[in-house]
Amino acid sequence: MSPQPQQTLDQLSAARLVPVVVLDDAAHADPLAAALAAGGLPVAEVTFRTAAAADSIRAMAARGDMILGAGTVLTTDQVDLAVAAGASYVVSPGLSRAVVERCQEHGILVLPGAVTATEIQAALELGLTTVKFFPAGTSGGAPAIKALAAPFGGVSFVPTGGVGPANLHEYLAIPAVAAVGGSWMVPKNLVNSGDFAEITRLTAEAVALAAR
Ligand SMILES: O=C(O)C(=O)C[C@H](O)[C@H](O)COP(=O)(O)O
């Protein structure tokens, strides 16, 4: 049984950071999860950009210590695969009614991308109050979120795309920001070369920065 959407959102808000993971090989999933947990961040958004996504989520879920989501979810079939693999939340680059409604049927948290007032209103009409703000950097960044948070007082945002150590604080300082997502602590080259110690170091550094 998946956790309730609010429970998952509370976990992500407490973590403040959501590592966005692209795995070419599900064999890397368990050591990567171990590296993230060792860095103090047992959280991952495993993207459906690769065929290894569902098996990677399954391998990470088997550990029992991860807050696991599926990213780049574009179809209802991917929602079903993600939930069956053990994901407790789903992230989409944009707002798809079909994807949102399938997540709601499963009773799991869904974070669709929304960067305009119109997109946020569409999310509200689907009963959502948290959206992914993607791609954050090229959609106006922190000033855009502040401007949108004014009329949409009850909405919270998870900015992702172009977020890193240099601008993390601009986003986390905004009360409407629940957490930020990013791939900077899990670079693909380190995953593929098996340098999990460096991933733990980058993760611990990110956790320390977010706590400041
Ligand atoms: O398409 C999706 O649903 C995604 O998951 C997009 C990723 O969240 C961002 O591409 C990560 O952005 P960077 O941290 O700048 O690498």
Side-chain angles (χ1 to χ4, degrees), residues 20 45 47 49 71-72 91-93 132 134 160-163 181-184:
V20 178
E45 173 186 327
T47 65
R49 293 185 191 199
T72 327
V91 186
S92 271
K132 169 171 170 159
F134 172 80
T160 307
V163 182
S183 62
W184 79 90

